[in-house]
């Protein structure tokens, strides 16, 4: 399509989760933006038909990162294109050592919301990923990443403690309270990688905005999350790897391996209980470390397996996720980032795995 072309999309336009008010029959794309009013005098019109969702959201991935650390621009581009092919057009990058600002200049790549680089305790995270610091430096590093990111900062809340041989919290309460307060002062939200149970309550009480993975949620902490409105991004496609990780580390850290297996065994019950309690749940895959990109549809399927209704799981990757991140969906005047399917994804979320068209910034790109 050239800049003067008009895209006409017909069928079932799913502008929201409501089965009645959330459905329109058609929309047009003019100048890269959505309108629900037929453009007058349009001649160069391309028509696409199907079931339409806003561009999907992967709210936890890592662009510019692989299992060994930062990657080059060519590899980063492939990662972003893989997300685009899967219909993920809005990515929250939950920590990367790479400078990926150049992606913002590319009209053919998804939009990225960055959390800067991970901030971890010394020797308490994956090598080459994070700033590895001690608690007295936490506030300064949080301020640095708050200024570098796009409104988010990422902490590593817990990791293997070699002294105990199990998961352990990384930060004392006072340090994390001061760091979160500083991020909020600078207009950034804070999220944290957390697997363990005991890590959660102190972070929530310190004012954290989101928890990644959240496998350690319990009957005691779920009400606290719900009361404070703290969101979770479960990354169930990543949690599925826990048994393999446990097998690999059992010889050195048997307590940790047993803990990881137990967290894995109750993963669906944990997410289902969180959703039932009213905790906001969003879709994220943790792609870019040990996992490939393009898994957003599989993560929606995992949320359904955990007991979330299909409409709620879809919202966690579309309408709700976009609102949470402050980005528009299928709205009048919004950038035309949308995905078209041959069947109704509300009836079967597996449809997400096979988009028929992907439209980014008003152009059909896949």
């Amino acid at each position: 399509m050239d800049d003067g072309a008009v895209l006409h999309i017909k069928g079932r336009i799913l502008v929201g989760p409501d089965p009645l008010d959330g459905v329109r029959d058609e929309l047009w794309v003019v100048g890269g933006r959505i309108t629900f009013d037929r453009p007058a005098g349009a001649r160069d019109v391309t028509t696409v038909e199907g079931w339409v969702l806003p561009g999907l959201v992967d709210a936890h991935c890592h662009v510019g990162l692989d299992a060994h650390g930062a990657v080059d621009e060519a590899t980063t581009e492939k990662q972003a294109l893989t997300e685009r092919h899967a219909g993920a057009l809005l990515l929250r990058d939950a920590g990367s050592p790479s400078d990926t600002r150049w992606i913002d200049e590319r009209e053919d790549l998804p939009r990225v919301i960055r959390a800067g680089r991970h901030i971890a305790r010394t020797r308490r995270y994956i090598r080459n990923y994070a700033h590895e610091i001690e608690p007295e430096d936490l506030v300064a590093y949080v301020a640095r990443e708050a200024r570098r990111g796009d409104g988010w900062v990422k902490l590593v809340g817990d990791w293997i403690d070699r002294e105990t041989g199990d998961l352990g919290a990384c930060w004392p309460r006072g340090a994390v309270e001061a760091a979160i307060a500083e991020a909020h002062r600078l207009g950034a939200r804070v999220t944290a990688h957390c697997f363990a149970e005991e890590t959660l309550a102190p972070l929530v009480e310190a004012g954290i905005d989101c928890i990644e993975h959240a496998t350690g949620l319990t009957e005691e902490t779920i009400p606290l999350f719900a009361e404070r409105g703290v969101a979770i991004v479960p990354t169930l496609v990543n949690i599925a790897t826990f048994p393999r990780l446990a097998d690999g580390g059992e010889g050195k850290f048997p307590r940790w391996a047993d803990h990881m297996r137990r967290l894995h065994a109750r993963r669906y019950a944990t997410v289902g209980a969180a959703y039932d309690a009213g905790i906001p749940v969003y879709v994220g895959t943790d792609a870019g470390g040990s996992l490939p990109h393009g898994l957003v549809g599989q993560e929606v399927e995992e949320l359904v397996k955990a007991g979330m209704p299909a409409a709620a799981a879809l919202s966690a990757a579309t309408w709700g996720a976009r609102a949470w991140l402050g980005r528009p969906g299928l709205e009048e005047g919004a950038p035309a980032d949308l995905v078209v399917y041959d069947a109704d994804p509300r009836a079967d979320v597996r449809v997400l795995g096979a988009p028929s068209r992907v439209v980014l910034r008003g152009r059909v790109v896949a």
Side-chain angles (χ1 to χ4, degrees):
M1 293 176 59
D2 61 40
D3 291 337
V6 172
L7 187 61
H8 182 205
I9 300 181
K10 300 169 58 178
R12 301 276 83 185
I13 315 300
L14 305 178
V15 300
D18 189 285
L20 298 177
D21 296 337
V23 182
R24 305 287 290 266
D25 292 328
E26 56 188 347
L27 64 75
W28 287 264
V29 178
V30 182
R33 294 189 174 269
I34 292 169
T35 180
F36 293 99
D37 298 322
R38 182 187 299 272
R43 289 180 293 181
D44 185 7
V45 178
T46 299
T47 299
V48 173
E49 298 190 37
W51 299 81
V52 181
L53 285 171
L56 305 183
V57 177
D58 188 339
H60 182 136
C61 65
H62 304 279
V63 180
L65 179 72
D66 69 6
H68 306 289
V71 298
D72 59 22
E73 288 192 5
T75 304
T76 301
E77 179 186 46
K78 290 179 182 178
Q79 293 175 341
L81 287 171
T82 300
E83 294 285 0
R84 187 191 79 177
H85 184 74
L89 305 183
L90 178 62
L91 313 176
R92 186 179 64 141
D93 188 311
S96 175
S98 296
D99 181 359
T100 61
R101 289 288 174 188
W102 59 270
I103 292 176
D104 296 345
E105 307 301 319
R106 291 276 298 268
E107 291 297 309
D108 61 330
L109 296 180
R111 291 168 170 81
V112 180
I113 297 172
R114 298 167 184 83
R117 189 171 186 174
H118 303 77
I119 303 173
R121 192 77 178 262
T122 307
R123 297 187 66 204
R124 294 286 299 277
Y125 199 49
I126 303 167
R127 186 179 299 175
N128 300 323
Y129 275 35
H131 296 298
E132 296 191 20
I133 63 168
E134 289 303 295
E136 58 268 25
D137 296 320
L138 184 59
V139 171
Y141 273 82
V142 163
R144 170 180 170 174
E145 296 309 304
R147 294 186 177 101
R148 291 181 58 203
D150 298 315
W152 285 91
V153 175
K154 170 72 174 296
L155 306 180
V156 176
D158 58 38
W159 199 249
I160 297 176
D161 184 331
R162 289 172 171 80
E163 293 185 3
T164 66
D166 199 359
L167 295 169
C170 293
W171 310 105
R173 176 70 170 266
V176 81
E177 284 180 347
I180 291 172
E182 178 66 3
H184 288 170
R185 186 185 71 82
L186 294 171
R189 290 185 276 184
V190 182
T191 192
H193 161 105
C194 293
F195 288 157
E197 293 86 349
E198 66 271 14
T199 314
L200 298 177
L203 287 172
V204 173
E205 291 167 353
I208 204 159
D209 302 283
C210 180
I211 294 292
E212 312 299 315
H213 317 302
T215 47
L217 279 169
T218 64
E219 292 181 356
E220 289 73 33
T221 50
I222 283 174
L224 179 63
F225 272 66
E227 176 189 343
R228 302 289 181 94
V230 177
I232 66 170
V233 182
T235 67
L236 287 167
V237 291
N238 178 44
I239 306 310
T241 68
F242 277 17
R244 174 175 56 81
L245 297 176
D247 290 345
E250 186 165 24
K252 191 172 184 180
F253 300 113
R255 288 182 59 192
W256 169 83
D258 177 66
H259 197 171
M260 295 291 276
R261 290 190 183 103
R262 285 185 279 112
L263 293 172
H264 172 266
R266 64 181 178 88
R267 68 197 186 281
Y268 291 143
T270 299
V271 174
Y275 172 76
D276 289 342
I279 295 174
V281 179
Y282 299 106
V283 165
T285 66
D286 209 1
S290 60
L291 291 179
H293 285 264
L295 302 178
V296 63
Q298 293 181 37
E299 181 66 16
V300 175
E301 291 182 43
E302 286 289 288
L303 292 182
V304 172
K305 291 179 184 177
M308 288 180 62
L314 285 174
S315 185
T318 56
W319 317 289
R322 284 179 166 272
W324 179 57
L325 294 173
R327 298 297 190 273
L330 301 178
E331 304 166 17
E332 183 72 31
D337 294 345
L338 54 91
V339 191
V340 184
Y341 302 93
D342 290 332
D344 186 354
R346 300 170 303 178
D348 185 351
V349 298
R350 291 176 295 179
V351 167
L352 298 182
S356 62
R357 295 287 188 278
V358 176
V359 178
L360 178 64
R361 295 167 173 83
R363 296 177 180 273
V364 179
V365 293

